[in-house]
Amino acid sequence: GAVVSQHPSRVICKSGTSVKIECRSLDFQATTMFWYRQFPKQSLMLMATSNEGSKATYEQGVEKDKFLINHASLTLSTLTVTSAHPEDSSFYICSASDGGGGQYFGPGTRLTVT
Amino acid sequence: RKEVEQDPGPFNVPEGATVAFNCTYSNSASQSFFWYRQDCRKEPKLLMSVYSSGNEDGRFTAQLNRASQYISLLIRDSKLSDSATYLCVVNRDGGYNKLIFGAGTRLAVHP
């Protein structure tokens, strides 16, 4: 149980375009979902926390207008990287919490912006 | 100062060795502590939670010292399959179970 999927697993896009990443909890309802970013040889950095039906809470230094998060249901959250630039190339990982203390990670999405 | 700091690594050890990783955290309000394992280009996976009294899971032993804000992980009888990056993780006070990750310590176990 407690499986989280992400789609796509990897994406290459051109600078200036937008990319949407989906995060789904497959066998439980996720009251809260988290989005992380990891640059090579660095730690996972929490970008934002989203709760179903409400606005996401962004960490300091993360541009909310650039990284749009929508948590429309208890099983789906999306992250849209708008007007992507090469410096946005990174490994984006979501996690989902069932409210009971467990936090389950998706397999990640590798974004490359050319 | 980073919220969670770890040994820089990498640690290169032979099979069968015992290796210890250390971690310190800066937020005294942190409530929960974990060690995660991350393989190259994969998502992190929970290795074990860390409890105040210390806890053991097979070859892995975790210790927590709240007064010193220090966490450790000991791996005994290292296996080749233990090669990975070990992430020290603490939650941030706030009620939403926000996890703050250390930069990780890379372990390479060789034959």
Side-chain angles (χ1 to χ4, degrees):
Chain A
V3 178
V4 176
S5 70
Q6 273 185 249
H7 178 80
S9 58
R10 60 179 62 192
V11 57
I12 300 173
C13 71
K14 292 188 176 181
S15 187
T17 60
S18 295
V19 174
K20 180 185 282 189
I21 302 170
E22 291 186 351
C23 177
R24 293 182 185 272
S25 56
L26 299 185
D27 52 2
F28 67 100
Q29 293 189 326
T31 52
T32 306
M33 286 185 167
F34 304 87
W35 287 96
Y36 297 83
R37 178 169 57 182
Q38 185 177 34
F39 292 107
K41 298 188 178 181
Q42 293 188 27
S43 180
L44 274 76
M45 296 296 295
L46 180 64
M47 298 175 67
T49 302
S50 73
N51 291 290
E52 184 261 339
S54 63
K55 289 185 179 180
T57 303
Y58 290 81
E59 294 299 303
Q60 192 173 7
V62 178
E63 300 174 58
K64 62 180 181 181
D65 294 330
K66 180 169 180 62
F67 299 98
L68 302 179
I69 292 172
N70 184 283
H71 192 159
S73 76
L74 284 171
T75 59
L76 174 64
S77 176
T78 60
L79 168 69
T80 301
V81 183
T82 62
S83 187
H85 290 104
E87 56 266 31
D88 297 325
S89 298
S90 187
F91 190 43
Y92 291 85
I93 307 175
C94 73
S95 70
S97 172
D98 59 6
Q103 192 170 140
Y104 309 97
F105 285 83
T109 297
R110 196 160 298 279
L111 170 64
T112 303
V113 184
T114 61
Chain B
R1 183 187 171 190
K2 294 179 182 176
E3 287 191 65
V4 180
E5 299 208 56
Q6 293 186 243
D7 283 348
F11 286 66
N12 294 296
V13 303
E15 275 187 288
T18 296
V19 61
F21 302 141
N22 302 316
C23 169
T24 57
Y25 60 96
S26 61
N27 188 344
S28 59
S30 297
Q31 300 292 321
S32 305
F33 311 90
F34 312 90
W35 283 100
Y36 276 73
R37 169 195 170 127
Q38 186 174 27
D39 291 288
C40 188
R41 303 173 79 84
K42 299 283 188 182
E43 77 276 22
K45 295 192 174 174
L46 179 65
L47 180 64
M48 59 195 302
S49 300
V50 187
Y51 303 114
S52 296
S53 55
N55 49 297
E56 186 175 304
D57 183 0
R59 297 181 293 110
F60 300 85
T61 301
Q63 297 279 351
L64 167 65
N65 184 323
R66 285 186 182 269
S68 303
Q69 295 179 201
Y70 170 92
I71 306 164
S72 67
L73 175 69
L74 183 77
I75 305 176
R76 290 183 299 278
D77 189 22
S78 298
K79 311 289 185 192
L80 294 176
S81 57
D82 293 334
S83 298
T85 297
Y86 291 82
L87 308 172
C88 177
V89 183
V90 306
N91 89 321
R92 180 190 289 169
D93 182 31
Y96 286 119
N97 212 20
K98 290 185 181 181
L99 298 181
I100 306 302
F101 285 76
T105 302
R106 189 157 177 267
L107 171 66
V109 182
H110 57 81

